[in-house]
Amino acid sequence: MKFFSNSPFGIGVLQYPWEITYGHDDSLWITESRGYKVYKMSSVNGGKRTVLDLAFGSTWLGTGGTGDDTLTARQSGWSPWPQGGFAGLALHPQFGDASNHDFVYVTYVHRYLSGTSPNGIIYRNKIVRFTYNSSTYRLESPAIIENDLPGSKDHNSQRLIIAPEWVPNDNPYSATSPVWSIGMRNNQGFAYDTVTNTLYGSSHGPYSDDEINIIEGFKNYGHPLVIGYVADGNYNGNSAIGTNTSVSAGTSFNDGTAPNPLLPAFTSPYNGKSTCPPIGNEGTNRDNINAGPNGQYKDPLFSAYAVPSILATWQNPGGNANWRSEGWSGLDLYSNKVIPGWNRSLVAGGLKWGRLIRLQLNAAGTATLPSNATGSIANEGDTITYFQSANRYRDLAFSPNGKDLFLVMDNNSATSGPGVGNPTVAACPGCVVKYSFLGYNDAAGLSTIPKTIPVTDGAVNTCNPGTTVTIDGSNNFIWVPITGPDGNIMAEIHAMGQSLGAVTSSFYKNSGAIRVKGGVHYLDRNITITPAVTSFATPVKVRLYISKAEFDALAADPLSGLGSILQLKVIKITIHCLSHYINNNRIINTDKHIARRFNAWSKWLCHAGQCYRILFFLFCSKQCNTAIATAYIHRHT
């Protein structure tokens, strides 16, 4: 995959950025967790302005104040520093639509209370609503939503989201309780699917089993008595790690009673005890939860690195570097169709290894694809990582154009450092990094598009639109994909360094009997490509994709004479999206190359220096007649 990346501004300009949200006017809203500021940044050039400052002593709201009733932070620094600080931000769903709902909600650690680590509630968080003044470019008119949220020095993520289907008085524990669900361990990301009305959350496991959960009301997600999937029982006999991340995994596995105390280096820091209760049996705990008054247990949608038993991980010296974890933080749902195969994917920013993690969802959003089954083939494409970095990715936001992705990078380096992925993105602590999807590199004349991406599907006996792509100086030297209505691949264009402008497309999928005209049998797919620029000097390459089922249906017709992919040919005509074949065609002969799977495409070359505004391709059997141009059909698994 070919991406273009840049950093809108320099290293360390932001002090521990936490939240990044894409706004209605193409601005990025960013919180600075240790600077106690909110910035509004241009998504084009990275220019930013401060729209809120609640640091200790700030006079943003008129006075610094000295009491707990003020909104500014009550200390200039915390010791220890609470996880987060000034962290969560959410825009009202009607922000910017002239409905007078230009509300911005923030949550932050406001003051220290009492207690010592690792026990006790020692901080208080606030949730405050501000109104954005587009004339002064400031957040003003604060209204306190919640003044006394408990927090600790750790596991205090403060992530915010507004779910449009919920109302404040329907919380399941009581109309006055803010609690919606329980049992999540350090939930650091939210994503909401407006199509299925599903709320997703990303949370940290103690040693393994970082979870993606579907968050529902009156559900108990198990922590600290069930970690990851309940059925695997991989934490049976253990205890989840406590608030001090250097202590051991529980009483039964401390140095004095460990099954293998002679393991080399099996000493401190493995001699502590967790403050959480021993887990015992996860299945029994699930049953006890279901029998109790605090909601029914719910398994995670996905549990990362669900090892058979956590014991070996705990016994392995080396600490955090050997724990099976991504430490994912911010979460977003990619619902666009520009990047092939990404539609309906959850994407999380990773803290531990400093990389992005993608999990594709099924249509209902209730499972990851292709499966969580054992085996590399079944899991191919299930969890995919990108942009290996030396810094921690704290949060991410997608642009509505489907091409641009923005990441905020923590000022700290990745916990375990780079080395699990290549290439490594240059260190850029405190930066906002922009990635723009362009297409796929060329390798010996072929695209490097991943082989796991399906061929697009659509409604039968009708014209299905493809995504409109623009081919210009930024991408005319690589393979630019065209996707269908499901976000999967339909075609690719390599413009050979020439700009084609906006390119529209569609495909027709025939249902019923194989189409026949003049003794020639035709495939159940037509593809139309319409470039804005129709005259260029160098031949343009085009790859057209068909499904294995479509090829098999044509080959199964005994009168097609089609025995293999080698005999498939392509016709180019100047009409499109029709169920039948008509005359006025230009037949493209095929010089074939075999790859690995039954997805075929072609490389179309302009004939005699002329290119048509509408390029309509039909795939036909070997009875096609004399060729006047050349195409290359590939079979690809």
Side-chain angles (χ1 to χ4, degrees), residues 133-210:
N133 187 326
S134 58
S135 298
T136 63
Y137 307 110
R138 294 166 66 99
L139 292 179
E140 302 171 346
S141 306
I144 296 175
I145 305 298
E146 177 59 57
N147 200 41
D148 291 303
L149 283 176
S152 71
K153 78 171 186 67
D154 200 10
H155 296 191
N156 191 48
S157 79
Q158 306 166 288
R159 197 69 72 181
L160 281 181
I161 193 170
I162 298 177
E165 297 300 315
W166 297 349
V167 292
N169 63 355
D170 72 346
N171 284 0
Y173 291 90
S174 77
T176 60
S177 171
V179 178
W180 179 252
S181 57
I182 62 176
M184 286 162 285
R185 184 184 185 276
N186 199 15
N187 190 90
Q188 293 228 358
F190 284 123
Y192 191 79
D193 186 349
T194 57
V195 175
T196 62
N197 294 325
T198 303
L199 176 64
Y200 299 95
S202 55
S203 60
H204 292 189
Y207 288 126
S208 64
D209 294 81
D210 293 342

Side-chain angles (χ1 to χ4, degrees), residues 208-209 225-239 253 279-286 297 299-300 303 305-312:
S208 64
D209 294 81
L225 297 174
V226 182
I227 308 297
Y229 304 121
V230 67
D232 62 21
N234 62 345
Y235 276 75
N236 287 351
N238 297 265
S239 171
F253 292 146
I279 285 178
N281 184 279
E282 292 185 287
T284 301
N285 295 337
R286 181 263 322 273
Y297 172 78
D299 233 15
S303 185
Y305 308 117
V307 295
S309 172
I310 197 60
L311 174 59

Side-chain angles (χ1 to χ4, degrees), residues 279-484:
I279 285 178
N281 184 279
E282 292 185 287
T284 301
N285 295 337
R286 181 263 322 273
D287 296 340
N288 291 337
I289 289 171
N290 290 340
N294 295 319
Q296 297 293 291
Y297 172 78
K298 186 173 179 62
D299 233 15
L301 169 73
F302 183 85
S303 185
Y305 308 117
V307 295
S309 172
I310 197 60
L311 174 59
T313 301
W314 176 78
Q315 287 181 325
N316 189 13
N320 182 286
N322 293 322
W323 298 349
R324 303 289 295 276
S325 172
E326 291 286 348
W328 40 44
S329 183
L331 186 69
D332 209 340
L333 177 71
Y334 184 83
S335 55
N336 215 300
K337 301 166 185 175
V338 173
I339 306 177
W342 276 44
N343 185 36
R344 300 196 54 74
S345 288
L346 287 171
V347 183
L351 298 175
K352 179 178 179 180
W353 300 109
R355 60 189 179 187
L356 212 65
I357 307 102
R358 181 173 70 88
L359 297 95
Q360 179 123 27
L361 298 171
N362 65 0
T366 56
T368 57
L369 295 178
S371 73
N372 291 326
T374 301
S376 60
I377 295 177
N379 274 305
E380 187 175 14
D382 197 1
T383 305
I384 306 173
T385 60
Y386 305 88
F387 314 137
Q388 179 70 48
S389 172
N391 289 106
R392 296 148 62 92
Y393 289 130
R394 178 60 68 178
D395 197 20
L396 67 147
F398 287 108
S399 166
N401 67 16
K403 292 175 53 179
D404 297 330
L405 165 65
F406 297 88
L407 290 159
V408 286
M409 302 180 78
D410 203 90
N411 290 69
N412 289 331
S413 61
T415 302
S416 303
V420 293
N422 289 301
T424 297
V425 177
C428 192
C431 288
V432 175
V433 180
K434 176 182 178 181
Y435 291 95
S436 296
F437 175 75
L438 301 178
Y440 300 98
N441 287 323
D442 184 272
L446 302 180
S447 170
T448 55
I449 186 171
K451 298 174 183 177
T452 54
I453 297 174
V455 172
T456 187
D457 200 3
V460 298
N461 300 328
T462 189
C463 198
N464 295 280
T467 54
T468 298
V469 299
T470 298
I471 299 180
D472 54 25
S474 69
N475 60 1
N476 60 19
F477 52 92
I478 59 176
W479 288 98
V480 178
I482 299 173
T483 55

Side-chain angles (χ1 to χ4, degrees), residues 35 78 132 262 333 396 529 563 574 605:
W78 312 102
Y132 180 64
L262 299 179
L333 177 71
L396 67 147
I529 299 175
T574 55
L605 304 180

Side-chain angles (χ1 to χ4, degrees), residues 447-608:
S447 170
T448 55
I449 186 171
K451 298 174 183 177
T452 54
I453 297 174
V455 172
T456 187
D457 200 3
V460 298
N461 300 328
T462 189
C463 198
N464 295 280
T467 54
T468 298
V469 299
T470 298
I471 299 180
D472 54 25
S474 69
N475 60 1
N476 60 19
F477 52 92
I478 59 176
W479 288 98
V480 178
I482 299 173
T483 55
D486 56 4
N488 292 324
I489 191 66
M490 181 174 72
E492 290 183 275
I493 298 176
H494 194 307
M496 305 298 290
Q498 302 159 116
S499 296
L500 306 184
V503 180
T504 59
S505 58
S506 63
F507 72 95
Y508 182 92
K509 184 178 177 183
N510 180 64
S511 177
I514 292 293
R515 295 169 292 177
V516 180
K517 175 72 173 181
V520 178
H521 295 236
Y522 295 93
L523 196 80
D524 285 336
R525 178 174 298 235
N526 315 335
I527 298 177
T528 304
I529 299 175
T530 310
V533 176
T534 60
S535 179
F536 33 83
T538 304
V540 171
K541 298 188 289 186
V542 180
R543 305 174 75 195
L544 308 174
Y545 287 79
I546 67 174
S547 70
K548 181 180 184 301
E550 290 164 344
F551 176 84
D552 288 347
L554 182 60
D557 184 344
L559 298 180
S560 71
L562 192 64
S564 73
I565 191 75
L566 296 174
Q567 297 171 311
L568 191 64
K569 298 181 180 180
V570 179
I571 285 182
K572 175 169 64 67
I573 61 180
T574 55
I575 52 89
H576 62 104
C577 274
L578 296 180
S579 61
H580 58 281
Y581 164 77
I582 65 173
N583 291 323
N584 184 32
N585 65 84
R586 296 169 61 85
I587 304 168
I588 302 175
N589 200 11
T590 55
D591 181 12
K592 303 87 174 173
H593 300 273
I594 300 299
R596 295 179 52 198
R597 140 176 133 177
F598 271 103
N599 288 337
W601 62 88
S602 71
K603 178 174 71 175
W604 178 66
L605 304 180
C606 295
H607 176 68

